[in-house]
Amino acid sequence: MRTRGVISDKWSMRILWCCAIGSAVGFYMVAVERQTQNRNRMMAEAMREMESGADTGDEV
């Protein structure tokens, strides 16, 4: 009966490690996605500022 307990502990540890690694990968993917969105937002704001600056510069 003792070997069953050792085997189940072994498998539960493997499952725990798989969950931990999966969570880490998920957090990494969320961080990369947010970084990409922030970069795109900054680029869009810079383009808007350049366009608005060009419009006011032509009128003057």
Side-chain angles (χ1 to χ4, degrees):
M1 287 302 220
R2 284 188 136 178
T3 56
R4 283 187 173 189
V6 172
I7 291 171
S8 68
D9 288 344
K10 191 176 189 180
W11 278 104
S12 65
M13 191 61 97
R14 288 179 183 173
I15 292 170
L16 182 65
W17 273 107
C18 287
C19 291
I21 291 170
S23 295
V25 169
F27 284 137
Y28 173 76
M29 292 175 71
V30 168
V32 168
E33 180 65 25
R34 286 185 180 174
Q35 187 178 16
T36 303
Q37 288 176 353
N38 287 340
R39 186 178 299 127
N40 289 342
R41 188 178 300 122
M42 285 174 39
M43 293 287 283
E45 287 176 5
M47 292 295 284
R48 270 190 243 120
E49 287 179 10
M50 287 176 51
E51 288 176 358
S52 66
D55 290 342
T56 57
D58 290 339
E59 293 174 3
V60 173

